[in-house]
Coordinates of all heavy atoms in Angstrom, one line a residue:
R150 N 83.5 109.6 142.8 CA 84.1 108.9 141.6 C 83.4 109.4 140.4 O 82.3 109.9 140.5 CB 83.9 107.4 141.8 CG 82.5 106.9 141.6 CD 82.4 105.4 141.8 NE 81.1 104.9 141.2 CZ 80.9 103.7 140.9 NH1 81.8 102.8 141.1 NH2 79.7 103.3 140.5
G151 N 84.1 109.4 139.3 CA 83.6 109.9 138.1 C 84.7 109.9 137.0 O 85.7 109.2 137.1
F152 N 84.5 110.9 136.1 CA 85.5 111.1 135.0 C 85.9 112.5 135.0 O 85.1 113.4 135.2 CB 84.9 110.6 133.7 CG 84.6 109.2 133.5 CD1 83.3 108.7 133.8 CD2 85.6 108.3 133.2 CE1 83.0 107.4 133.7 CE2 85.3 106.9 133.1 CZ 84.0 106.5 133.3
V153 N 87.1 112.8 134.5 CA 87.6 114.1 134.3 C 88.2 114.1 132.9 O 88.9 113.2 132.5 CB 88.5 114.6 135.4 CG1 89.7 113.8 135.5 CG2 88.8 116.1 135.2
W154 N 88.0 115.2 132.1 CA 88.6 115.2 130.8 C 89.0 116.7 130.4 O 88.5 117.6 131.0 CB 87.7 114.7 129.7 CG 86.4 115.4 129.5 CD1 86.2 116.4 128.6 CD2 85.2 115.3 130.2 NE1 84.9 116.8 128.7 CE2 84.3 116.2 129.7 CE3 84.8 114.5 131.3 CZ2 83.0 116.3 130.2 CZ3 83.5 114.6 131.8 CH2 82.6 115.5 131.2
G155 N 89.9 116.8 129.5 CA 90.4 118.0 129.0 C 91.3 117.9 127.8 O 91.5 116.7 127.3
K156 N 91.8 118.9 127.3 CA 92.6 118.9 126.0 C 94.1 118.8 126.4 O 95.0 119.0 125.5 CB 92.4 120.2 125.2 CG 91.0 120.3 124.7 CD 90.7 121.6 124.0 CE 89.3 121.7 123.5 NZ 89.1 122.9 122.7
Y157 N 94.5 118.4 127.5 CA 95.8 118.2 128.0 C 95.9 116.9 128.7 O 95.0 116.4 129.2 CB 96.3 119.4 128.9 CG 95.3 119.5 130.0 CD1 95.4 118.8 131.2 CD2 94.2 120.4 129.8 CE1 94.5 118.9 132.2 CE2 93.2 120.5 130.8 CZ 93.4 119.8 132.0 OH 92.4 119.8 133.0
E158 N 97.1 116.3 128.7 CA 97.3 115.0 129.4 C 97.2 115.1 130.9 O 97.5 116.1 131.5 CB 98.7 114.5 129.0 CG 98.9 113.1 129.2 CD 100.1 112.5 128.5 OE1 100.9 113.3 127.8 OE2 100.4 111.3 128.6
N159 N 96.6 114.1 131.4 CA 96.4 113.9 132.9 C 95.6 115.0 133.5 O 96.0 115.7 134.4 CB 97.8 113.8 133.6 CG 98.6 112.6 133.1 OD1 98.0 111.5 133.0 ND2 99.8 112.7 132.9
P160 N 94.4 115.2 133.0 CA 93.5 116.2 133.6 C 93.2 115.9 135.1 O 93.2 114.7 135.5 CB 92.2 116.2 132.8 CG 92.2 114.8 132.2 CD 93.7 114.5 132.0
T161 N 92.9 116.9 135.9 CA 92.6 116.7 137.3 C 91.4 117.6 137.7 O 91.0 118.5 137.0 CB 93.7 117.1 138.2 OG1 93.9 118.5 138.2 CG2 95.0 116.4 137.9
L162 N 90.7 117.3 138.8 CA 89.6 118.1 139.3 C 90.0 119.5 139.7 O 89.2 120.4 139.7 CB 89.0 117.4 140.5 CG 88.3 116.0 140.2 CD1 87.9 115.4 141.5 CD2 87.1 116.2 139.3
D163 N 91.3 119.6 140.0 CA 91.8 120.9 140.4 C 92.1 121.9 139.3 O 92.3 123.1 139.5 CB 93.1 120.8 141.2 CG 92.9 120.0 142.5 OD1 91.8 120.1 143.1 OD2 93.8 119.2 142.9
N164 N 92.1 121.4 138.1 CA 92.4 122.3 136.9 C 91.1 122.9 136.4 O 90.2 122.2 136.0 CB 93.1 121.5 135.8 CG 93.7 122.4 134.8 OD1 93.0 123.1 134.2 ND2 95.0 122.3 134.6
S165 N 91.1 124.2 136.3 CA 89.9 124.9 135.9 C 89.5 124.7 134.4 O 88.4 125.0 134.1 CB 90.1 126.4 136.2 OG 91.1 126.9 135.4
S166 N 90.4 124.2 133.6 CA 90.1 124.0 132.2 C 89.6 122.6 131.9 O 89.3 122.2 130.8 CB 91.3 124.3 131.3 OG 92.4 123.5 131.6
A167 N 89.5 121.8 133.0 CA 89.0 120.4 132.8 C 87.5 120.4 133.1 O 86.9 121.3 133.8 CB 89.7 119.5 133.8
S168 N 86.8 119.4 132.5 CA 85.4 119.2 132.8 C 85.3 117.9 133.5 O 86.2 117.0 133.4 CB 84.7 119.0 131.4 OG 84.7 120.2 130.7
A169 N 84.3 117.7 134.3 CA 84.2 116.5 135.1 C 82.7 116.0 135.2 O 81.8 116.8 135.1 CB 84.7 116.8 136.5
Y170 N 82.6 114.7 135.4 CA 81.3 114.1 135.6 C 81.4 113.3 136.9 O 82.4 112.5 137.0 CB 80.9 113.2 134.5 CG 79.8 112.2 134.8 CD1 78.5 112.6 134.8 CD2 80.1 110.9 135.1 CE1 77.5 111.7 135.1 CE2 79.1 110.0 135.5 CZ 77.8 110.4 135.4 OH 76.8 109.6 135.7
T171 N 80.5 113.5 137.8 CA 80.6 112.8 139.1 C 79.4 111.8 139.2 O 78.3 112.2 139.0 CB 80.5 113.7 140.3 OG1 81.6 114.6 140.2 CG2 80.6 113.0 141.6
E172 N 79.7 110.5 139.4 CA 78.7 109.5 139.6 C 78.3 109.5 141.1 O 79.1 109.4 142.0 CB 79.3 108.1 139.2 CG 78.5 106.9 139.5 CD 77.2 106.9 138.8 OE1 77.1 107.3 137.6 OE2 76.2 106.5 139.4
S173 N 77.0 109.5 141.3 CA 76.4 109.6 142.7 C 76.4 108.2 143.4 O 76.4 108.2 144.6 CB 75.0 110.2 142.7 OG 74.2 109.4 141.9
S174 N 76.4 107.1 142.6 CA 76.5 105.8 143.2 C 77.9 105.4 143.6 O 78.8 105.8 142.9 CB 75.9 104.8 142.2 OG 76.1 103.5 142.7
F175 N 78.1 104.7 144.7 CA 79.4 104.4 145.1 C 79.8 102.9 144.8 O 80.8 102.5 145.1 CB 79.6 104.6 146.6 CG 79.5 106.1 146.9 CD1 78.4 106.6 147.5 CD2 80.6 106.9 146.6 CE1 78.3 108.0 147.8 CE2 80.5 108.2 146.9 CZ 79.4 108.8 147.5
L176 N 78.9 102.2 144.2 CA 79.1 100.7 143.9 C 78.9 100.5 142.4 O 78.0 101.1 141.8 CB 78.2 99.8 144.7 CG 78.4 100.0 146.2 CD1 77.3 99.1 146.9 CD2 79.7 99.5 146.7
G177 N 79.6 99.5 141.9 CA 79.3 99.0 140.5 C 80.0 99.8 139.5 O 80.8 100.7 139.7
K178 N 79.7 99.4 138.2 CA 80.3 100.1 137.1 C 79.6 101.4 136.8 O 78.5 101.7 137.2 CB 80.0 99.2 135.8 CG 80.8 97.9 135.8 CD 80.4 97.0 134.7 CE 80.6 97.6 133.3 NZ 80.4 96.6 132.3
Y179 N 80.3 102.3 136.2 CA 79.7 103.6 135.7 C 80.3 104.0 134.4 O 81.4 103.5 134.0 CB 79.9 104.7 136.8 CG 81.4 105.0 137.2 CD1 82.0 106.2 136.8 CD2 82.1 104.1 138.0 CE1 83.3 106.5 137.1 CE2 83.4 104.4 138.3 CZ 84.0 105.6 137.9 OH 85.2 106.0 138.3
D180 N 79.5 104.7 133.6 CA 79.9 105.1 132.3 C 79.5 106.6 132.0 O 78.9 107.2 132.9 CB 79.4 104.2 131.3 CG 77.9 104.1 131.3 OD1 77.2 105.0 131.9 OD2 77.3 103.2 130.6
L181 N 79.9 107.1 130.9 CA 79.7 108.5 130.6 C 79.6 108.7 129.1 O 80.3 108.0 128.3 CB 80.9 109.3 131.1 CG 81.0 110.7 130.7 CD1 79.9 111.6 131.3 CD2 82.4 111.3 131.1
T182 N 78.6 109.5 128.7 CA 78.6 110.0 127.3 C 78.9 111.5 127.3 O 78.3 112.2 128.1 CB 77.2 109.8 126.7 OG1 76.8 108.4 126.7 CG2 77.1 110.4 125.3
I183 N 79.9 111.9 126.6 CA 80.4 113.3 126.6 C 79.9 113.9 125.3 O 80.0 113.4 124.2 CB 81.9 113.4 126.6 CG1 82.5 112.7 127.9 CG2 82.3 114.8 126.6 CD1 84.0 112.6 127.9
E184 N 79.2 115.0 125.4 CA 78.7 115.8 124.3 C 79.4 117.1 124.2 O 79.9 117.6 125.2 CB 77.2 115.9 124.4 CG 76.4 114.6 124.4 CD 74.9 114.8 124.5 OE1 74.5 115.9 124.7 OE2 74.2 113.8 124.4
G185 N 79.3 117.7 123.0 CA 79.8 119.1 122.8 C 81.3 119.2 122.7 O 81.9 120.3 122.9
L186 N 82.0 118.1 122.3 CA 83.4 118.1 122.1 C 83.7 118.8 120.7 O 82.9 118.7 119.8 CB 84.0 116.7 122.1 CG 83.8 115.9 123.4 CD1 84.4 114.5 123.2 CD2 84.5 116.7 124.5
D187 N 84.8 119.5 120.6 CA 85.2 120.1 119.4 C 85.7 119.1 118.4 O 86.3 118.1 118.7 CB 86.4 121.1 119.6 CG 86.0 122.2 120.5 OD1 84.9 122.6 120.5 OD2 86.9 122.7 121.2
P188 N 85.3 119.3 117.1 CA 85.8 118.3 116.0 C 87.3 118.4 115.8 O 87.9 119.4 116.1 CB 85.0 118.8 114.8 CG 84.6 120.2 115.0 CD 84.5 120.4 116.5
A189 N 87.8 117.3 115.4 CA 89.3 117.2 115.1 C 90.2 117.6 116.2 O 91.1 118.4 116.0 CB 89.6 117.9 113.8
T190 N 89.8 117.2 117.4 CA 90.5 117.7 118.6 C 90.9 116.5 119.5 O 90.1 115.5 119.7 CB 89.6 118.6 119.4 OG1 89.2 119.7 118.6 CG2 90.3 119.1 120.7
T191 N 92.1 116.5 120.1 CA 92.6 115.5 121.0 C 92.1 115.8 122.4 O 92.3 116.9 122.8 CB 94.1 115.3 120.9 OG1 94.4 114.9 119.6 CG2 94.6 114.3 121.9
Y192 N 91.6 114.8 123.1 CA 91.1 114.9 124.5 C 91.8 113.8 125.3 O 92.1 112.7 124.8 CB 89.6 114.8 124.6 CG 88.9 116.0 124.1 CD1 88.5 116.1 122.8 CD2 88.6 117.1 124.9 CE1 87.8 117.2 122.3 CE2 87.9 118.2 124.5 CZ 87.5 118.2 123.1 OH 86.8 119.3 122.7
F193 N 91.9 114.1 126.6 CA 92.4 113.1 127.5 C 91.3 112.9 128.6 O 90.8 113.9 129.1 CB 93.7 113.5 128.1 CG 94.8 113.7 127.1 CD1 95.0 114.8 126.4 CD2 95.6 112.6 126.8 CE1 96.0 115.0 125.5 CE2 96.7 112.7 125.9 CZ 96.8 113.9 125.2
I194 N 91.0 111.6 128.9 CA 89.9 111.3 129.8 C 90.5 110.3 130.8 O 91.2 109.4 130.4 CB 88.7 110.7 129.1 CG1 88.2 111.6 127.9 CG2 87.6 110.3 130.0 CD1 87.3 110.9 127.0
R195 N 90.1 110.5 132.1 CA 90.5 109.5 133.0 C 89.5 109.4 134.2 O 88.8 110.4 134.5 CB 91.9 109.6 133.6 CG 92.2 110.9 134.3 CD 93.7 110.9 134.6 NE 94.1 112.1 135.4 CZ 95.2 112.2 136.0 NH1 96.0 111.1 136.1 NH2 95.5 113.3 136.6
A196 N 89.4 108.3 134.8 CA 88.5 108.1 135.9 C 89.1 108.6 137.2 O 90.4 108.7 137.3 CB 88.1 106.6 136.0
Y197 N 88.3 108.9 138.2 CA 88.8 109.3 139.5 C 87.9 108.8 140.6 O 86.8 108.5 140.3 CB 89.0 110.8 139.6 CG 87.7 111.6 139.7 CD1 87.1 111.8 141.0 CD2 87.0 112.0 138.6 CE1 85.9 112.4 141.1 CE2 85.8 112.6 138.7 CZ 85.2 112.9 140.0 OH 84.1 113.5 140.1
A198 N 88.5 108.7 141.7 CA 87.7 108.3 142.9 C 88.3 109.2 144.1 O 89.5 109.3 144.2 CB 87.9 106.8 143.2
T199 N 87.4 109.6 144.9 CA 87.7 110.5 146.1 C 87.2 109.8 147.3 O 86.1 109.3 147.4 CB 87.1 111.9 145.9 OG1 87.6 112.5 144.7 CG2 87.5 112.8 147.1
N200 N 88.1 109.8 148.4 CA 87.7 109.3 149.7 C 88.2 110.3 150.7 O 88.9 111.3 150.3 CB 88.1 107.9 149.9 CG 89.6 107.7 149.9 OD1 90.4 108.6 150.3 ND2 90.1 106.6 149.5
P201 N 88.1 110.1 152.0 CA 88.5 111.0 153.0 C 90.0 111.3 152.9 O 90.5 112.4 153.4 CB 88.2 110.4 154.3 CG 87.0 109.6 154.0 CD 87.2 109.0 152.6
T202 N 90.8 110.4 152.4 CA 92.3 110.7 152.3 C 92.7 111.4 151.0 O 93.9 111.7 150.9 CB 93.1 109.3 152.5 OG1 92.7 108.5 151.4 CG2 92.7 108.7 153.8
G203 N 91.8 111.6 150.1 CA 92.2 112.3 148.9 C 91.6 111.8 147.6 O 90.7 110.9 147.7
T204 N 92.1 112.2 146.5 CA 91.6 111.8 145.2 C 92.7 111.0 144.4 O 93.8 111.4 144.4 CB 91.2 113.0 144.3 OG1 90.1 113.7 145.0 CG2 90.7 112.6 143.0
S205 N 92.3 109.9 143.8 CA 93.1 109.1 143.0 C 92.6 109.0 141.6 O 91.4 109.1 141.4 CB 93.3 107.6 143.5 OG 93.9 107.6 144.8
Y206 N 93.5 109.0 140.6 CA 93.1 109.0 139.2 C 93.6 107.7 138.5 O 94.6 107.2 138.8 CB 93.8 110.2 138.5 CG 93.3 111.5 139.0 CD1 94.0 112.2 140.1 CD2 92.1 112.1 138.5 CE1 93.5 113.4 140.6 CE2 91.7 113.3 139.0 CZ 92.4 113.9 140.0 OH 91.9 115.1 140.5
G207 N 92.8 107.3 137.5 CA 93.2 106.2 136.7 C 94.1 106.7 135.5 O 94.5 107.8 135.5
K208 N 94.4 105.7 134.7 CA 95.2 106.0 133.5 C 94.6 107.0 132.6 O 93.4 106.9 132.3 CB 95.5 104.7 132.8 CG 96.4 104.9 131.5 CD 96.5 103.6 130.8 CE 97.3 103.8 129.5 NZ 97.4 102.6 128.8
S209 N 95.3 108.0 132.1 CA 94.8 109.0 131.1 C 94.6 108.3 129.8 O 95.6 107.7 129.2 CB 95.7 110.2 131.0 OG 95.2 111.2 130.3
I210 N 93.5 108.4 129.2 CA 93.2 107.8 127.9 C 93.1 108.9 126.8 O 92.4 109.9 127.0 CB 91.8 107.0 127.9 CG1 91.8 106.0 129.0 CG2 91.5 106.4 126.6 CD1 92.9 104.9 128.9
K211 N 93.8 108.7 125.7 CA 93.7 109.7 124.7 C 92.7 109.3 123.6 O 92.7 108.2 123.1 CB 95.1 109.9 124.0 CG 95.2 110.9 122.9 CD 96.6 111.1 122.4 CE 97.1 110.0 121.6 NZ 98.4 110.2 120.9
I212 N 91.9 110.3 123.2 CA 90.9 110.1 122.1 C 91.0 111.3 121.2 O 91.5 112.4 121.6 CB 89.5 109.9 122.6 CG1 89.0 111.2 123.3 CG2 89.3 108.7 123.5 CD1 87.5 111.2 123.5
R213 N 90.6 111.1 120.0 CA 90.6 112.3 119.0 C 89.2 112.3 118.4 O 88.8 111.2 117.8 CB 91.7 112.2 118.0 CG 91.7 113.4 117.0 CD 93.0 113.5 116.2 NE 92.9 114.5 115.3 CZ 93.1 115.8 115.5 NH1 93.4 116.2 116.8 NH2 93.0 116.7 114.6
T214 N 88.5 113.4 118.4 CA 87.2 113.5 117.7 C 87.5 113.5 116.2 O 88.5 114.0 115.8 CB 86.5 114.7 118.2 OG1 87.3 115.9 118.0 CG2 86.0 114.6 119.7
K215 N 86.5 113.0 115.5 CA 86.6 113.0 114.0 C 86.3 114.4 113.5 O 85.8 115.3 114.2 CB 85.7 112.0 113.4 CG 86.1 110.6 113.8 CD 85.3 109.6 113.1 CE 85.8 108.2 113.5 NZ 85.0 107.1 112.8
D216 N 86.7 114.6 112.2 CA 86.6 115.9 111.6 C 85.2 116.4 111.3 O 84.9 117.6 111.2 CB 87.4 115.9 110.2 CG 88.9 115.8 110.5 OD1 89.3 116.0 111.5 OD2 89.5 115.3 109.5
G217 N 84.3 115.4 111.1 CA 82.9 115.8 110.5 C 81.9 116.3 111.5 O 82.3 116.9 112.5
G218 N 80.7 116.0 111.2 CA 79.6 116.5 111.9 C 79.2 115.9 113.2 O 79.9 115.0 113.7
K219 N 78.1 116.3 113.7 CA 77.6 115.8 115.0 C 77.5 114.3 115.1 O 77.1 113.7 114.1 CB 76.2 116.5 115.2 CG 75.6 116.2 116.6 CD 74.3 117.0 116.7 CE 73.7 116.7 118.0 NZ 72.4 117.4 118.1
N220 N 77.9 113.8 116.2 CA 77.8 112.4 116.5 C 78.6 111.5 115.6 O 78.3 110.3 115.5 CB 76.3 111.9 116.5 CG 75.5 112.6 117.6 OD1 76.0 112.9 118.7 ND2 74.3 112.9 117.3
E221 N 79.7 112.0 115.0 CA 80.5 111.2 114.2 C 81.4 110.3 115.0 O 81.9 109.3 114.5 CB 81.3 112.0 113.2 CG 81.9 111.2 112.1 CD 82.6 112.0 111.0 OE1 81.9 112.4 110.1 OE2 83.8 112.3 111.1
G222 N 81.7 110.6 116.2 CA 82.5 109.7 117.0 C 83.9 110.1 117.3 O 84.3 111.3 117.0
V223 N 84.7 109.2 117.8 CA 86.0 109.4 118.2 C 86.9 108.3 117.6 O 86.5 107.2 117.3 CB 86.2 109.5 119.7 CG1 85.4 110.6 120.3 CG2 85.9 108.2 120.4
E224 N 88.2 108.6 117.5 CA 89.2 107.7 117.2 C 89.9 107.4 118.5 O 90.3 108.3 119.2 CB 90.2 108.2 116.2 CG 89.5 108.6 114.9 CD 90.4 109.5 114.0 OE1 91.6 109.8 114.4 OE2 89.9 109.9 113.0
K225 N 90.1 106.1 118.8 CA 90.6 105.7 120.2 C 92.1 105.5 120.1 O 92.7 105.2 119.0 CB 89.9 104.4 120.7 CG 90.2 103.2 119.9 CD 89.5 102.0 120.4 CE 89.7 100.8 119.7 NZ 91.0 100.2 119.8
D226 N 92.8 105.6 121.2 CA 94.2 105.3 121.3 C 94.3 103.8 121.3 O 93.4 103.0 121.7 CB 94.6 105.8 122.7 CG 96.1 105.8 122.9 OD1 96.8 105.3 121.9 OD2 96.6 106.2 123.9
D227 N 95.4 103.2 120.7 CA 95.5 101.8 120.5 C 95.5 101.0 121.8 O 95.1 99.8 121.8 CB 96.8 101.5 119.8 CG 96.8 101.9 118.4 OD1 95.7 102.1 117.8 OD2 97.8 102.2 117.8
D228 N 95.9 101.5 122.9 CA 95.9 100.7 124.2 C 94.6 100.9 125.0 O 94.6 100.5 126.2 CB 97.1 101.0 125.0 CG 97.2 102.5 125.5 OD1 96.3 103.3 125.1 OD2 98.1 102.8 126.2
F229 N 93.6 101.4 124.4 CA 92.3 101.6 125.2 C 91.3 100.6 124.6 O 91.1 100.5 123.5 CB 91.8 103.0 125.0 CG 90.5 103.2 125.7 CD1 90.5 103.2 127.1 CD2 89.4 103.6 125.0 CE1 89.3 103.5 127.7 CE2 88.2 103.8 125.7 CZ 88.1 103.8 127.0
E230 N 90.7 99.9 125.6 CA 89.6 98.9 125.2 C 88.2 99.5 125.4 O 87.9 99.9 126.5 CB 89.8 97.6 126.0 CG 88.8 96.6 125.6 CD 89.0 95.3 126.3 OE1 90.2 94.9 126.4 OE2 88.1 94.7 126.8
W231 N 87.4 99.6 124.4 CA 86.1 100.2 124.5 C 85.1 99.1 125.2 O 85.1 98.0 125.0 CB 85.5 100.6 123.2 CG 86.3 101.7 122.6 CD1 87.3 101.6 121.7 CD2 86.1 103.1 122.9 NE1 87.8 102.9 121.4 CE2 87.0 103.8 122.1 CE3 85.2 103.8 123.6 CZ2 87.1 105.2 122.1 CZ3 85.3 105.2 123.6 CH2 86.3 105.9 122.9

C-alpha cells in the first residue's frame, strides 16, 4: 500500500513516468509528504494497495503546485478533503 503520483490522470505503478511511495506497515492510517515537485504544475495522486490477487487504486486527486518558491504549497481540487 502507498501512493502513486504523476503529471497525468490515474497514475499507476506500471507507468515508468509515475513516482511511488510504499508504506511498510499494513495496518492503520498512512500519509506522505512529497518534495521536489515542479512549480505551477498539475499533479494527480492516488492511494493504492496490493495483495496476492493484484493492485487496486483509490480515486485520483488533482493538485496544482503554486507558482512561487520552495514550500509554498499546493492548490487542492474542490472535492478533496485535506
Side-chain angles (χ1 to χ4, degrees):
R150 73 183 194 161
F152 295 97
V153 62
W154 65 94
K156 295 179 181 179
Y157 51 88
E158 202 164 356
N159 299 319
T161 68
L162 294 171
D163 296 328
N164 191 302
S165 62
S166 64
S168 298
Y170 165 79
T171 301
E172 171 62 39
S173 59
S174 170
F175 293 105
L176 299 173
K178 293 171 61 172
Y179 58 108
D180 58 14
L181 170 68
T182 299
I183 302 173
E184 297 179 355
L186 299 177
D187 296 331
T190 303
T191 298
Y192 288 89
F193 297 88
I194 305 169
R195 63 184 180 163
Y197 73 89
T199 301
N200 64 29
T202 62
T204 300
S205 294
Y206 295 92
K208 179 182 176 186
S209 187
I210 304 300
K211 181 174 74 173
I212 63 167
R213 181 165 176 81
T214 55
K215 293 187 178 179
D216 293 338
K219 186 177 179 182
N220 296 327
E221 192 172 274
V223 299
E224 299 166 2
K225 66 182 180 71
D226 193 358
D227 288 338
D228 62 354
F229 180 65
E230 183 176 315
W231 293 94

